Amino acid sequence: MQIDFFNTVVNSRLKQLMKSALLMGLLLLSIQTYAQPVSVRAFTDKQKVLLGEPFWLTLEVKSLNNVKPPAFKVDSLAHFEFITRDSSGVIQRGDTSYYHQYFQLRSFDSGRWVIPPFTLRPFVKTSSLLIDVMFTENFDPRQPYHDVQEIKGVPFKIDADIEKWWYLIAAFLIFLTLLIYWLTGPRKPAAVRKRSGSATPFVKAVNSLEDLKKSQPEEKLFYAQLVEIFRDYIAERTGITSQQQTSNNLIGKIKLLMADEVKYESLAQVLYLCDFVKFAKYHPEHSEAASAFEVIEDAIHYIEETLKRQPGLVSEE
């Protein structure tokens, strides 16, 4: 009985020792594996940067080739903002690997700021970094001021191989410029052709108005030709002429031909409008051109009908 009890106690003790040894081995293995990273560090490519100037922050873990360490967790940094993150790389040198994490940063807060340590795991962390964020480059107040210098001209010199082609290239460019301007430049509309022959002043005026409407010249020329057609009709049909450049004198002379006060006032307004446009005192709307054309056309028809009914109203000179 005592022998059996003794064997049972010994076997139990041996089992406990074996378990303890196994646990100790596993613990040592895990500690060895956990302690594989040799060192960590953080560094930047610049210690002094201007406001908004990008710079690179690198986090490095040095480890054995057969063990890949965990990555640093970087969320945010006070006074800095991330331009690029989640960029990484690895460099192998012999049996050692260098794992790098790259972050591109910039800052818009001037001053000296601290990038705090980064923790890989408890008791394994990088050192902190100091970054100076400045408005301008370093300025030495003891340095003498530079006097204002005159602008110095730089002599123009062409390479000898290109010089022989210079005049030919210049002539070609001038020709090309003139050609493009001729093809794309504004073209002056042809003046309204005045129809001659045995046609009456009324027929001439109607034909001239038709030509003016088809040609569609630019604004100033349109109004100048419109009033010229009316002047020519009045001069040929009634002998009334106006020696002035403006229409004031003409408006007063044709009062007898326009018994309709509304038509007379409309005609006077259009003649004044043509003068304003002619002397660049007014830029009418596009719709006003069509209205002015209708008023002149209607006035010519009205005066022609009036003179047919009353041939002696105005004696031709």
Side-chain angles (χ1 to χ4, degrees):
M1 294 291 293
Q2 292 180 352
I3 295 175
D4 293 339
F5 177 76
F6 178 77
N7 291 335
T8 302
V9 172
V10 170
N11 291 334
S12 176
R13 180 64 63 179
L14 287 174
K15 290 181 180 179
Q16 290 179 357
L17 289 175
M18 292 177 64
K19 289 181 179 180
S20 299
L22 180 60
L23 290 174
M24 184 63 69
L26 292 175
L27 180 60
L28 291 175
L29 180 62
S30 63
I31 291 175
Q32 183 182 6
T33 303
Y34 193 63
Q36 285 300 327
V38 178
S39 63
V40 295
R41 70 177 181 131
F43 57 92
T44 59
D45 62 334
K46 299 176 183 178
Q47 284 72 47
K48 295 181 180 181
V49 295
L50 299 177
L51 286 175
E53 180 184 3
F55 67 96
W56 286 96
L57 166 67
T58 303
L59 303 182
E60 180 186 86
V61 179
K62 181 180 178 183
S63 177
L64 297 178
N65 288 340
N66 58 348
V67 178
K68 183 177 180 180
F72 288 96
K73 294 182 179 180
V74 182
D75 297 324
S76 62
L77 294 175
H79 305 290
F80 296 95
E81 64 179 43
F82 289 89
I83 301 176
T84 303
R85 63 166 73 218
D86 298 330
S87 178
S88 61
V90 60
I91 300 174
Q92 290 187 350
R93 294 175 183 172
D95 61 349
T96 304
S97 296
Y98 297 85
Y99 295 89
H100 291 159
Q101 291 176 253
Y102 304 102
F103 303 90
Q104 191 176 34
L105 309 174
R106 64 183 174 186
S107 175
F108 292 97
D109 297 336
S110 61
R112 173 169 290 183
W113 308 115
V114 177
I115 297 180
F118 297 93
T119 302
L120 184 67
R121 68 169 188 265
F123 308 109
V124 179
K125 60 177 64 177
T126 67
S127 59
S128 60
L129 302 172
L130 284 179
I131 299 294
D132 289 323
V133 183
M134 305 176 295
F135 282 102
T136 59
E137 297 289 352
N138 291 337
F139 172 71
D140 186 3
R142 297 171 297 179
Q143 184 179 4
Y145 291 100
H146 297 287
D147 294 333
V148 177
Q149 302 291 330
E150 295 183 359
I151 299 176
K152 297 181 180 179
V154 179
F156 178 72
K157 186 177 180 180
I158 306 176
D159 187 83
D161 296 334
I162 302 177
E163 186 175 5
K164 59 183 179 181
W165 298 100
W166 171 252
Y167 296 106
L168 182 61
I169 295 173
F172 174 75
L173 291 177
I174 293 173
F175 171 76
L176 183 62
T177 302
L178 294 176
L179 179 62
I180 294 175
Y181 177 79
W182 182 79
L183 293 175
T184 62
R187 298 184 180 276
K188 185 178 180 180
V192 177
R193 179 174 56 87
K194 295 183 179 180
R195 304 186 187 185
S196 59
S198 58
T200 63
F202 174 74
V203 174
K204 290 181 182 178
V206 171
N207 291 337
S208 297
L209 288 174
E210 181 181 349
D211 292 341
L212 177 62
K213 191 173 184 179
K214 290 179 180 179
S215 64
Q216 296 182 348
E218 56 93 16
E219 180 182 271
K220 187 175 181 179
L221 183 60
F222 171 83
Y223 283 95
Q225 292 183 359
L226 186 64
V227 71
E228 184 181 355
I229 292 171
F230 182 77
R231 285 174 182 270
D232 291 344
Y233 167 73
I234 294 297
E236 293 182 22
R237 185 69 172 87
T238 67
I240 297 175
T241 59
S242 176
Q243 303 299 329
Q244 300 178 2
Q245 291 185 345
T246 62
S247 301
N248 291 333
N249 184 259
L250 179 62
I251 291 172
K253 290 181 178 181
I254 63 175
K255 174 66 174 175
L256 293 175
L257 303 175
M258 303 290 292
D260 190 322
E261 289 292 335
V262 176
K263 292 183 181 294
Y264 175 75
E265 290 296 332
S266 297
L267 176 62
Q269 292 296 325
V270 169
L271 293 178
Y272 286 133
L273 173 65
C274 291
D275 290 343
F276 289 153
V277 176
K278 177 180 178 181
F279 296 104
K281 294 182 179 180
Y282 178 68
H283 296 284
E285 299 290 338
H286 181 72
S287 59
E288 293 183 79
S291 177
F293 183 89
E294 292 176 0
V295 170
I296 294 294
E297 184 179 37
D298 182 65
I300 291 175
H301 283 83
Y302 180 83
I303 293 174
E304 184 67 23
E305 292 297 327
T306 299
L307 292 176
K308 286 181 179 179
R309 291 194 306 268
Q310 305 177 42
L313 185 61
V314 177
S315 58
E316 300 186 24
E317 297 180 355

